[in-house]
Structures are given as C-alpha cells and as structure tokens.
Amino acid sequence: MIVAIMGHIRNWLLPVLSAVVQLSVWPGLTLLRGEAVAAPQLAVGLAVTASAVAVLGVRRRFPVAATLTIEAVTVAEFVVPDQALLAAMVAGVVALYSVAVLRPAGTAVIVASVLTGSAVLRSLPRYDSPVDIGGEALVSLAIYAATVGAGHGRRQWLAGRRDAERELARAEAARGTAATTERHRLARELHDVSAHHLTSVVVTADAARRLGDRRPELTADALRLAAEGGRETVAALHRLVTVMRSSAADEESPLEERIAELAAGFERLGQRVSLDLAAGPAGLTGPAAEAAFGIVREALTNALRYAPGAAVRVVVREADGALDVLVEDDGAAAPAPEARQGLGSGRGTAGMRDRATGLGGTLEAGPRRDAAGWSVRARLPHPSSAVRRRPALPSPSWADTATVLAVAALPVVAVLIERPAATAAACLPAVLHALPLLWRRRAPWTVLLLVSASAWIPPVALAYGLLPSDVAWSLAVAGACAECVALHAVAAFAGPAAHTWPAIPATAGGAALTAVALDVFGGGPLEAEGGGGGLPFLVFFALFLTVFLALPMAGVWGSGVFVRRRRERVTRREDSALTAAVWSAVVEAYEERQRIAAELRQAVLRHADDVVVHAERGDLDGAAEQARAGLAAMRELLAVLRRTKPSTKPEEVSSSQPEQIRRSA
C-alpha cells in the first residue's frame, strides 16, 4: 500500500510542480505587474495547462499518446503568449523522455521527428525568414535529441537492472532447490551402490536357513556371500563418502585445486589417476569450471565402479573460449564395452551430458577408439575466457548518436543567430568537434583529447581568415558543451575519482588557451594589451581564466563521479545479493553432503561392517540381522532424502561462510 502511494506521489509530483510554476509565471506574475489578461486568453491558457498536467500524469502508461496529445495542445500558441505554454513545453519534453525510457529506440526517434516537424510547421506562420525557421528546427532538434539520448540511456540502465534481477531470481531458484537436488542425487547413488548388496545377503541367508537341513553346503556359501556382499557394500559406500567429501563446497576454489583434491581421494581407493591440467584453467572458476569438475567427478566414479584399479588420465585444457575435458581409462579389470554400456542406471552419463548441454557444450562417452578402455570427452563454452576483439570504433548506441546531434546543433544555432550567412561554414567544425563523443563510454580519455584538439579548429580557421571573428567565438563558446560532456564521461567511465581529477585543470586549461588564441587572432583587447612582447601578460591571463573555468568544470566532473558511484553502489548491491544467493545454495548442498556422509558412517556403514564380522565368525543369523538393519537404515535415510526441506534465506548467509566452508572442507 505504501509503495503504491509513493508511486502515485512520484508520478504526479512533476506535473503538479509544473502547473504551480506555470500559474506563478503566467498569469500570476503578469497580474502582479498590473498588466491585463484577456478573459479568452486566460481561459485558453488555463485549459492548456490543465490538459498538459493531466496528460503528463498518465505518461508512464501511454507515453506515445501522452507526448502527441501534449504537442497537439501547443497549437494554442497562436492564441496565448509564449509564457502561458511553459508547462506544456516542459510536459512535452518529459513525455518524450518517457517514450525513450519505456519504448524501443526506433519509436522514440519517430516521435522526436514528429515533434521536430511540428515545431517547424508552427514556425512557418510566425517567421518570414527561412533562417529563423531553420533556427527553430535546429533548436528543436537539439532539445529532442538530447531528451531521446538521456531517455535511452536510462532505458539501458533499467534493462541492466532487470537482467540483474532475473539473474538473482535464477540464483534464488537454484538456492531454493539446492539441498533438495543434492538429496535426490545422493539418494539415487545410495540406491545404486549398496541396496542390492545388502538385499542379496538377506535373501541368501534366508534360503540357507530354510534348506540347511537338506543341503548343509548352502550355509557355507551363504556365509561367503554375506562376507563378500558386506565388503562390497562397505567399499561402495566408502567410495560414495569419498566423492561427497571431495565435492569442494567452495565454488571459488581454482579448478586445478579441486580436481587435484578429487583425484587424491580416488587414488586412496586404489585408482591410478594422472592429471594434465593446462595453465589456463588453474585459476578458473564459474559455471564452466563447476561443470568440468562435475564431469570429471562422475567419470572417475564410473571408472572406479566399472574398472577398479585402472589407470585414468584426466586432461583439462582451455582453448578458443572453451574448456576441453577428457577422462579416459585403460580398461583394466573392465567388462567388455557392450556389457559396460549396460551396467548401471545410465543416469551418470545423462547427468554429465546435461551439465555440458546446459552451457551450450557437447559430451561424448563410449569405448576408446585407439585402445582398450572408456573415454569421456566434453567441450564446455567459456565466453569469459575467450579473447574478445573489440572493433577500433565500436558501434555507437542511440543515446550516443542523440548526444552528438544535440551537441553539434548548439554551435550551429549560435552561428545562425549571430550571422546566418556563415551557417553552412559552421556545420563542419561543429560536427567534427562533437563526433568523438560517440565513443565516450569506451575510450573517455581519448575522446576528451580529441574534443580538446578539435576545439582549436575555430582559432586556426580565424587565424587563416577562413572564419570571421564572431562566428569563431560562437563556435567556441557554444561548442564548449562538447568538452563538458567529454569531461563528464571521463569522471563516469574512466576510473575512480582519484585517477580522473586531473581532467579538470586539463579541460579548463585547454578552454582558456582556446579563448586566448581566439582573442589574439581576432585582434581583441588581449592582443592589443599583450602586443609588443606582452607574452607574460597572456600567460597570466590564461592561468587566471583556467582557475576561473575550473570551478564549473569541477561541477561537471563531480556530476560524473556521482553517476559512477551511484552505478557502482547499485551493481555492488546486486552482486552482493547474487553472491549471497549462490553461497546459500553452495552451503546447503555442502551441508547435505556432510550430513548424509555422517549418517552413512554412523548407521549403514556400521551395519555393513557388522555383516562382514558376523559372516567371518560363521554367524549367519547375525549377518542376516545386520543386513536387515542396514537395509532399514538405508530405507530410512532414503525416505529422509526424498522429502523436501525448507531453504535458508539468502540474507542468513554471512560473508564469512565461504572461509568457514573452506576451513571445514
């Protein structure tokens, strides 16, 4: 409820404020001055203000319709004075900004073009000179282009935040099912590796007891099978516990370290494992590393199950933006390939393939072609490690293009006002001065250097007589907006404030030197004052002007720093939430593995060991009883594993948990 109320307040605050300002300026200020306001004008002006305010209030729901409606009511300029349309003009710009934020860039450009055309059409009855009409068009173009650029930049920012929210939602979903997924996976493993061994012990013992009087030899066979089944159960469960304990909970551990730890665990179980890990994936983390680790773990488990004691080679290499994983054994003690393909449930290979395809990769598993044994090959795309070649001049965005149009239009308008005949000559310097701003986000320092260098075009043209003095000054003063945009980009995109503050004196000094050069080449008062060897005076004045300009330049730089810090604060908060969700999933899966491993050691493994002890003593009844107890414990553990469990909230995961997991692991 409170959120809805705050949303309504934010939506209507600007329309109400614009209405208050409008009524204060006109008719309020006009009436305070004692000037008369005609009743028809007053009625039309109030109607225009009310319409603009009302339409502006629904701009978020119907941005295009709101913009065009506000533009339609501005035809009242033929009835009321310009002061009566302040609210409508502001509302039109705000509505266009909403179009750029809420609709695709193409739609915003079309609407801005319609507004520019409408402004030109309205100017036809008001101006007789084509120069004045062209000036109106350029002013409208500058305003609307800047508005579209700012709105599209906001749209990109909001799109990034929505992407971050979706990523967090996916992480939350994975966190919510992490423990359940881990329990179900381990339940399948437990059922596959141990239940049939204990069941065979019970069945064999029951048969020997029933037929023991007629066939005494069955008792000895049953004891032997009970001992073997108990040992196989113990070995299988020990392998599973080893795998669970080797599953590194810290997903930020380097891949090489995790695989080495995993291989050491399998070597303790009698498997001969050799590692060939390239230098690339040594410090690799992330989804591709996690998938590679899971595939290696599953492949080693299958090799231990079907080819115990075999030599296994693990190769992980990084090339062409992907991880290549190879796990192959020499086939020692392994059944024939046809038989091997029929062993197990097949879920291990399917799980490995799911890991690979989930990243857009591939996986192949089957008999080796060059020798006896089995091989698993996977290729896992890893875009973050690929060499990304950026074009020398990356494609500009709609926001950058709109910014360049707005910045280039300002000096042309200034020249148009001062000397219309020189407008054509002013276009090229204005465009060259603003053009580098297309790449201000990618290379801000380079753009600032290019903009500062192109600011010398008017002084040089003035020195060679290519431009008159007033035109050169108009280009320089109005074109200073380009330096401000470039300076803002340096502060916002080039690095922390401690590294970008030198741009303030550099930009102010460049502008000061340009002004001094214009005055000297144009024969201004500085040239007369500093002529005849007055270079120290010119230097002093340039330093004075640099200090004077540094204050507004510092304000521009500060606005860029504010934007950068705000962006970093938001992304840091998003990264923190995402990290908390991911770590919560890691912690829950890790805790499930540890808890289940403890249950196996305390319950099922103890009964399996007792089966072997009783069988070796010749106590068939005791072996059968322990096998039943082990099966009961197994069923109870499986029932617990298949139940769901409430997940932990992500905020309950502290920043110290990764280190705690690392230490406990």
Side-chain angles (χ1 to χ4, degrees), residues 442-533:
R442 292 292 183 88
W445 281 111
T446 303
V447 168
L448 180 61
L449 178 63
L450 293 176
V451 168
S452 300
S454 60
W456 282 87
I457 295 178
V460 172
L462 177 61
Y464 284 93
L466 301 177
L467 288 176
S469 178
D470 54 348
V471 173
W473 272 103
S474 298
L475 285 174
V477 174
C481 180
E483 280 92 330
C484 294
V485 174
L487 178 60
H488 181 277
V490 168
F493 304 109
H499 297 163
T500 59
W501 69 265
I504 300 174
T507 306
L513 290 176
T514 302
V516 171
L518 283 170
D519 189 89
V520 172
F521 295 150
L526 289 181
E527 194 275 337
E529 192 72 30

Side-chain angles (χ1 to χ4, degrees), residues 393-405 431 433-443 447 451 485:
L393 296 178
S395 300
S397 66
W398 282 101
D400 297 327
T401 304
T403 300
V404 169
L405 288 175
V431 172
H433 192 44
L435 191 61
L437 297 177
L438 285 173
W439 301 279
R440 70 189 188 278
R441 303 175 190 272
R442 292 292 183 88
V447 168
V451 168
V485 174

